[in-house]
Amino acid sequence: MLRIHFTGDDLARVRMAARPDVLWETILSFHRLRERRRALMFGEWRSETRVRLNGETRLLAALVPPRGYFPDFLTPPEGGCGLEAGLEALRATPPGRMHSELALTAAGQPAGPVLPGRLAALAEGRPEALARLVGALRSYHRAAIEPYWPHIQATVEADRAVRGRALLDGGAGELLASLPPVLRWRAPVLEADYPVTRELHLDGRGLLLQPSFFCRGTPVVYRDAELPPVLVYPAVHSCAPTFGEPGDQPSLGRLVGHTRSVVLQAIRYGCTTSELARRAGVSLASASQHAAVLREAGLVVTLRHGNAVLHTVTPLGAALLRGGATAEAAG
C-alpha cells in the first residue's frame, strides 16, 4: 500500500504537470515493451518499436528490472522540460547518489547485491559508462517515444483537461478524488495499491501530479522521500487508442466547411458534448457527430468523465487552429 499524507499546506501546493515528462515516459515504456499484456493498447507500438531497436536494450534491461525499484536518478524533474534537459540533469547526478541507487537496484534482483559489470562501471562514476547510458537512453527514446510523441502529448493533455475541470469544480480535494480508480482519496490521505508499503509525508512541500501515457496498473513515486514529491499516475486513454499518423485517417478529407471550424474552435479549451452544442449553436446529435469526425481525423481526443464525455484538441488540432487564425489575419 502507498499512502501519501497531506497537510493543508500540501493541498494548497498540489499542481498538475504542464506536459508529459519525456524521461518518465521513456523508462515506463520500457516496462510496457517487455510485458505481454494490453495487446490492444500497446501491441502495435511494441511491434514497431522492437523492429527499430533491433535488440539493443541490454544496458536498460540491467538498469530497469521488470518489477520493483529502478534508480530515481533516471527520471530527474528536468525531464519535464525535454529530453536534452533531462539527460543533462542525469549527467550531473552526484557519484555517491548514483552508486547507492544502483546498489539498491542490484539488491532487489535474483543475482543479489553484486553489480553486473556494465553497472559497476557506472557506479564507479566512469565518464565512458555515463556516456553509454546517455547514448542508450537517447537511442531508445528515438525508437520508442519520438515517433509517437504527438499521440502521447494528446493523451496527457486530455487527462490534464479532466483534472483541471475537477479542480475548478471543487478545489484540490475534488482534483485528488478525480484521479483514476487505482488511486483513492480518503482525506487527508491518498492511497493506492503498491508493490511495497510506503508512507510518504509531504510535510508542506505539496505534490506534482504527472499523468503518464505508459504508466499502467499502479502509480509511481520516488523511493527517496527527500526528492521533490511527484506522483506519476496512468493517464486515461481514449476508448480506441491508436498510434497511427493523423494524416493517415481517411476522415481527414471530410474535415471541410464552416461548421466544423466553429466546432473545433469551441473544443479548443475542452468541453462536454452538451457544452459543445451550446457553444457551436448546433443540436446535441450534430455536436456528437462533428466531434466524432474530428476525433477520427486525429484533431480531437475524447475521454469519459463521470456521466459525460470531455473533448479536447490534440497538438495537430491546436496547430490547425493556429494556422487558421494566421490565414484569417492574412486575409
Side-chain angles (χ1 to χ4, degrees), residues 39-73:
L40 178 63
M41 190 175 293
F42 296 115
E44 180 183 349
W45 168 81
R46 285 192 197 108
S47 299
E48 294 175 355
T49 298
R50 284 168 179 158
V51 170
R52 293 192 193 96
L53 286 169
N54 198 25
E56 291 300 316
T57 59
R58 287 175 295 177
L59 179 56
L60 285 182
L63 272 169
V64 184
R67 286 177 293 276
Y69 173 78
F70 60 82
D72 290 337
F73 70 75

Side-chain angles (χ1 to χ4, degrees), residues 257-266 268 319-331:
H258 172 73
T259 302
R260 289 211 181 103
S261 175
V262 171
V263 168
L264 189 60
Q265 289 279 0
R268 180 191 289 267
L320 186 64
L321 287 172
R322 290 194 299 270
T326 303
E328 287 179 10

Side-chain angles (χ1 to χ4, degrees), residues 131-193:
R132 280 196 297 273
L133 171 58
V134 169
L137 286 169
R138 186 178 279 115
S139 295
Y140 178 80
H141 172 271
R142 189 180 303 119
I145 303 297
E146 190 175 88
Y148 311 102
W149 192 246
H151 186 70
I152 294 168
Q153 282 182 305
T155 299
V156 169
E157 188 57 38
D159 190 278
R160 275 172 39 84
V162 171
R163 307 308 155 211
R165 195 177 190 86
L167 179 65
L168 289 172
D169 288 347
E174 185 67 23
L175 165 60
L176 294 171
S178 80
L179 291 171
V182 295
L183 290 151
R184 301 174 293 276
W185 173 238
R186 294 169 179 165
V189 178
L190 185 63
E191 296 181 347
D193 294 332

Side-chain angles (χ1 to χ4, degrees), residues 236-286:
V236 177
H237 284 211
S238 59
C239 297
T242 174
F243 284 98
E245 291 297 324
D248 294 339
Q249 296 288 347
S251 301
L252 192 57
R254 298 161 58 195
L255 189 63
V256 293
H258 172 73
T259 302
R260 289 211 181 103
S261 175
V262 171
V263 168
L264 189 60
Q265 289 279 0
I267 296 174
R268 180 191 289 267
Y269 300 111
C271 61
T272 64
T273 304
S274 58
E275 289 169 343
L276 174 59
R278 187 168 60 252
R279 293 178 189 177
V282 298
S283 69
L284 196 62
S286 180

